[in-house]
Amino acid sequence: MARRQDQQRRSSIHDVASRAGVSAATVSKVLAGVTTVKPENAQRVFDAVEQLGYRVDPLASDMRRAKRRIIGAIMPEFESEFFGQMITELEGLAEQRGYTLVAASSRESEAREKEILARMHDWRVAGVVLAPVRNEHGPAAEFMKANGMTGVLIDRVLSDDAFDTVSADSAAASAEVARELIGKGHRHILVVGLGEQAATVRARLDGFRGAALKLAPGMRIDVVLAESDVGPLRAQLRDYFDACEGKDQGEGKGERPTAVYSLFLKGTLVALSEFRRRGWHCPNDISLVGFDDAEWMQVTWPAIAAVVQPVREIAGHAMEALFARIEGGEGPPQARLEPCRVLMRESVGSPGSGSHSGGGNRQ
Amino acid sequence: MARRQDQQRRSSIHDVASRAGVSAATVSKVLAGVTTVKPENAQRVFDAVEQLGYRVDPLASDMRRAKRRIIGAIMPEFESEFFGQMITELEGLAEQRGYTLVAASSRESEAREKEILARMHDWRVAGVVLAPVRNEHGPAAEFMKANGMTGVLIDRVLSDDAFDTVSADSAAASAEVARELIGKGHRHILVVGLGEQAATVRARLDGFRGAALKLAPGMRIDVVLAESDVGPLRAQLRDYFDACEGKDQGEGKGERPTAVYSLFLKGTLVALSEFRRRGWHCPNDISLVGFDDAEWMQVTWPAIAAVVQPVREIAGHAMEALFARIEGGEGPPQARLEPCRVLMRESVGSPGSGSHSGGGNRQ
DNA sequence: GTGAAAGCGCTAACAT
DNA sequence: ATGTTAGCGCTTTCAC
């Protein structure tokens, strides 16, 4: 058994240099791919590198360069599939370009977001991919601006006058959801959202409402917006449905909406949970569509309809934009919108087609 | 509008020094909390720091020190709640100690795992938290050993002769699952696992089987192990159930297991998916328990019973062990097991209590 | 073509 | 109590 995990000294560029019989400067050049080195010497360097198992210390290297080859990524959380995939994609893309990604979670706190950003600034990161907690006007983006940091804003943003932005085309997707639901005959729909995420909620709500009212002008759209957290939403939703039920005593089917469109993932969970509590089943008792897809949504019974965000595209274009800026790209900030896919699954049906007390939708 | 995102030069320790009328060394001492500095000078330093908005460059600082205040974390993936939470916890704990966490996903590939580790070694990280793809005997752990790196192994590990390990007590949890299922009357249970994750699958399987056969010696336990990926599991499960159905033609209820215990999250999803395909509902047609909990499991209908891993405890003890080693802690490697909670939810019932063709379990 | 020298921003000995 | 010196490991002029 090893006595201890001894950190043996790694060979430095000077070790390579002396072994190859050249100077450290030459080694540096060879490794940087400079072609003006005599082939013979280059070979000796490669051999020495091989023999010593030498690898450049990226930090020491960055120390001397102007910009450090580090990208910072700040996400509101890591627990959801969306941001998990996002980080995975960003990491891969950064790596492809020889950069290291340092990821941090703001845990849905703007204060923490700014702190992390300050730390990344200390690290002199070359650029930052920021998925802000609220929107592009938060203190974090402000900090970036004030300190001349290079960055891209993603997800909960629309556009900005200082940074490029990349996000899902929430409005278009929501319009499609509206078309689908109205096509199925729904004329009374509840939309559930989180007020804090101002930028995207507005876009999604407006996109939905615009399309819906155009197709069915007289229809009713109710909105329940949680202020700042998901906790209260649960109660708000309960109250909302209680009020609905109150209005139609003795009729058996009244002012209750026939479909719910949740503008964010946690809202979908809360809605499902509330349906459970009331013993309502999708799609017979009520239909449900959620913004944001998740793997489990296709294996539950019924499968949950969802808007799928193009994670790869968002990550890809964010990194493209970021590196363009890092490499000195000029020009006004671009606001990109990536199209979503809407997956209509079993949780959506036509109103009145199922019995209010009947069993679930079966094969 | 800002012309461009100009990277204004940040003030260095020398700027602070000259502004405070002292040397850089003194500034360094003051900031490091050395008490032998004249209070008056210390105050001047603090003032200068304040005025210039000076912050230490952590990289330059680490450059000079022996060890770098960076912790590397390597997870098999970031898309699941478990690893997402794990990264969040680890990041917070590292930050608490003034370290930065660099996280990377091995994407379930041992080759990538080793590559990442090599890169972290280049970075001279102070320590690594590695959640290996397979087990503690993979090439990554080998690499760590060979290079004298400091590290802790978590999750898919049992114990190691070179590194501390921290993982969920899979065996105990599985034994509890066995007790619960047998208590409900199940005597024919299918266990679904992923062969690749040798360490934990063994522990979970043995824990389950041991407890089950002790309580109900004559019971039948079938096992379906996917080799290396989740894809094949789908087909294997289908074949397995096809075989079951074949045997009991004309009887209506035969050799089909009455419960399924999935040893990992994806297996639970695949099982649910297969039940869907066959039109089986939990718990009337079959019961289901999965290792690994997820938020959605409590809002679906029925809610899915699951083993909850103690993420915070695992992360906490992993970091504790890691920092103990970083600070020179000696002694043989410790293998820690953290107890899980088993949440029996609606997906588990008693065999035969529901009609095979009836509706779902309702309030 | 190649190497010597000068640092990137910081800290730890060693003087004073 | 403080400053001077000497680097950490690397890259980059700039002479040769």
Side-chain angles (χ1 to χ4, degrees):
Chain A
M1 184 187 300
R3 269 201 335 287
R4 262 219 68 236
Q5 299 165 19
D6 312 284
Q7 192 89 344
Q8 60 241 36
R9 209 181 77 62
R10 293 190 66 172
S11 39
S12 80
I13 198 169
H14 290 108
D15 301 327
V16 177
S18 61
R19 202 171 222 290
V22 295
S23 75
T26 304
V27 175
S28 179
K29 279 167 194 153
V30 171
L31 265 37
V34 173
T35 52
T36 62
V37 178
K38 206 198 295 179
E40 190 195 304
N41 279 344
Q43 192 52 53
R44 297 177 57 108
V45 168
F46 285 130
D47 291 347
V49 165
E50 174 82 31
Q51 287 162 30
L52 294 170
Y54 171 75
R55 292 185 136 229
V56 175
D57 179 341
L59 259 53
S61 168
D62 278 358
M63 195 74 207
R64 188 55 225 275
R65 294 164 177 274
K67 281 260 170 66
R68 292 180 183 169
R69 282 158 307 180
I70 303 172
I71 299 293
I74 308 177
M75 304 287 128
E77 41 114 347
F78 289 155
E79 276 101 79
S80 67
E81 276 179 51
F82 179 70
F83 289 115
Q85 287 170 5
M86 188 63 81
I87 281 294
T88 307
E89 291 293 327
L90 293 175
E91 192 214 333
L93 292 166
E95 186 191 317
Q96 268 178 32
R97 313 206 186 209
Y99 279 66
T100 296
L101 191 86
V102 174
S105 159
S106 55
R107 295 186 215 143
E108 303 286 2
S109 149
E110 286 196 307
R112 213 181 122 66
E113 188 171 276
K114 191 176 160 185
E115 259 175 45
I116 294 171
L117 212 41
R119 219 168 314 130
M120 296 209 164
H121 188 215
D122 293 345
W123 274 63
R124 275 93 164 144
V125 296
V128 171
V129 179
L130 170 63
V133 169
R134 283 173 70 91
N135 57 44
E136 59 270 38
H137 304 303
E142 208 53 61
F143 181 94
M144 287 177 63
K145 228 167 291 185
N147 291 281
M149 293 175 78
T150 303
V152 181
L153 272 27
I154 66 168
D155 192 43
R156 298 175 190 168
V157 294
L158 292 177
S159 71
D160 190 72
D161 61 359
F163 299 106
D164 298 316
T165 61
V166 184
S167 52
D169 192 346
S170 300
S174 297
E176 189 175 337
V177 170
R179 280 194 296 279
E180 291 276 1
L181 290 178
I182 285 167
K184 296 266 187 193
H186 295 277
R187 292 296 179 274
H188 181 185
I189 301 174
L190 168 68
V191 179
V192 177
L194 189 60
E196 197 175 45
Q197 298 169 15
T200 32
V201 162
R202 266 261 79 77
R204 291 172 194 179
L205 200 49
D206 291 352
F208 181 84
R209 194 182 260 138
L213 293 179
K214 197 164 151 198
L215 290 168
M219 76 171 291
R220 176 166 163 196
I221 298 175
D222 296 340
V223 178
V224 170
L225 280 190
E227 229 359 272
S228 61
D229 203 359
V230 184
L233 180 58
R234 196 172 299 276
Q236 282 175 258
L237 214 54
R238 178 177 314 178
D239 292 347
Y240 168 83
F241 283 121
D242 279 347
C244 291
E245 300 274 86
K247 284 183 195 146
D248 64 320
Q249 286 169 354
E251 205 198 335
K253 176 180 172 179
E255 312 232 9
R256 184 216 289 181
T258 59
V260 173
Y261 175 34
S262 162
L263 303 182
F264 68 120
L265 183 63
K266 295 250 174 178
T268 311
L269 288 170
V270 172
L272 274 172
S273 169
E274 179 64 17
F275 295 168
R276 268 189 63 110
R277 218 180 53 81
R278 295 179 179 267
W280 295 348
H281 286 244
C282 297
N284 286 357
D285 302 312
I286 196 160
S287 289
L288 177 66
V289 186
F291 202 98
D292 251 343
D293 189 30
E295 209 176 359
W296 59 268
M297 291 187 183
Q298 51 189 310
V299 300
T300 55
W301 193 258
I304 311 297
V307 176
V308 185
Q309 299 199 63
V311 182
R312 293 181 62 100
E313 283 71 18
I314 295 176
H317 287 130
M319 279 307 220
E320 237 168 57
L322 184 60
F323 278 105
R325 297 290 177 188
I326 287 175
E327 285 153 15
E330 301 277 336
Q334 306 280 318
R336 260 197 107 106
L337 288 180
E338 308 292 338
C340 301
R341 272 185 317 140
V342 179
L343 294 185
M344 279 299 149
R345 291 192 277 229
E346 298 152 358
S347 64
V348 173
S350 292
S353 73
S355 77
H356 250 216
S357 59
N361 176 16
R362 299 216 151 208
Q363 278 184 318
Chain B
M1 183 187 302
R3 272 199 334 287
R4 261 219 68 233
Q5 299 164 18
D6 312 285
Q7 191 88 345
Q8 60 242 39
R9 208 181 78 63
R10 291 191 67 171
S11 39
S12 82
I13 198 168
H14 290 108
D15 301 328
V16 177
S18 62
R19 201 171 222 287
V22 295
S23 77
T26 303
V27 176
S28 178
K29 279 169 193 153
V30 171
L31 266 36
V34 173
T35 52
T36 62
V37 179
K38 207 198 294 179
E40 190 195 305
N41 279 343
Q43 193 52 52
R44 298 176 58 103
V45 168
F46 285 130
D47 291 348
V49 165
E50 175 82 33
Q51 287 161 29
L52 295 171
Y54 171 75
R55 292 186 135 227
V56 175
D57 179 340
L59 257 54
S61 170
D62 279 358
M63 195 75 206
R64 188 56 229 270
R65 294 165 178 275
K67 281 260 170 67
R68 291 179 182 171
R69 282 160 304 180
I70 304 171
I71 300 292
I74 308 177
M75 303 288 128
E77 41 113 347
F78 289 154
E79 277 101 77
S80 67
E81 276 179 53
F82 178 71
F83 289 115
Q85 287 169 5
M86 187 65 78
I87 281 295
T88 307
E89 291 294 327
L90 293 175
E91 191 214 336
L93 292 166
E95 186 191 317
Q96 268 177 30
R97 313 206 186 209
Y99 280 66
T100 297
L101 190 86
V102 174
S105 159
S106 56
R107 295 186 216 144
E108 304 286 2
S109 147
E110 285 196 306
R112 214 181 120 67
E113 189 172 276
K114 192 177 161 183
E115 260 176 44
I116 294 172
L117 212 42
R119 219 168 313 130
M120 298 212 161
H121 189 216
D122 294 345
W123 272 62
R124 275 97 163 143
V125 296
V128 171
V129 179
L130 170 64
V133 169
R134 284 172 69 89
N135 58 44
E136 59 270 36
H137 304 303
E142 208 53 60
F143 181 94
M144 287 178 64
K145 227 166 293 186
N147 290 281
M149 294 175 78
T150 302
V152 180
L153 271 28
I154 65 169
D155 192 44
R156 298 175 189 168
V157 294
L158 293 176
S159 71
D160 190 72
D161 62 0
F163 299 107
D164 299 315
T165 60
V166 185
S167 51
D169 193 345
S170 301
S174 297
E176 189 176 337
V177 170
R179 279 194 296 278
E180 292 275 1
L181 289 178
I182 285 167
K184 296 265 188 194
H186 294 277
R187 292 295 180 276
H188 182 185
I189 301 173
L190 169 67
V191 179
V192 176
L194 191 59
E196 196 174 45
Q197 298 169 14
T200 31
V201 162
R202 266 262 78 77
R204 291 173 193 178
L205 199 49
D206 292 351
F208 181 84
R209 195 181 260 139
L213 293 180
K214 197 165 151 195
L215 291 168
M219 76 171 293
R220 178 168 162 194
I221 299 175
D222 295 340
V223 177
V224 170
L225 280 189
E227 227 1 270
S228 61
D229 203 1
V230 184
L233 181 58
R234 197 172 298 276
Q236 281 174 259
L237 215 54
R238 177 176 313 177
D239 292 347
Y240 169 83
F241 283 121
D242 279 348
C244 291
E245 301 274 87
K247 284 184 195 145
D248 63 321
Q249 285 168 356
E251 204 198 336
K253 177 180 170 179
E255 312 231 9
R256 183 217 288 183
T258 59
V260 173
Y261 175 35
S262 162
L263 303 182
F264 67 120
L265 183 63
K266 296 250 173 177
T268 311
L269 289 169
V270 171
L272 274 171
S273 169
E274 179 65 16
F275 295 168
R276 268 190 63 110
R277 217 179 55 80
R278 294 179 180 267
W280 294 350
H281 286 243
C282 297
N284 287 357
D285 301 313
I286 196 159
S287 289
L288 177 66
V289 185
F291 201 99
D292 252 341
D293 189 31
E295 209 176 359
W296 59 268
M297 290 187 184
Q298 50 189 310
V299 301
T300 55
W301 193 257
I304 310 297
V307 176
V308 186
Q309 298 199 63
V311 183
R312 292 182 61 101
E313 283 72 18
I314 295 176
H317 288 129
M319 280 307 220
E320 235 168 59
L322 184 59
F323 279 105
R325 296 291 178 187
I326 287 174
E327 285 153 16
E330 302 278 337
Q334 307 279 318
R336 262 198 106 106
L337 287 180
E338 309 291 338
C340 302
R341 272 184 317 140
V342 178
L343 295 184
M344 278 299 148
R345 292 191 277 229
E346 299 151 356
S347 64
V348 173
S350 292
S353 72
S355 76
H356 250 217
S357 59
N361 178 15
R362 299 218 150 208
Q363 279 183 319

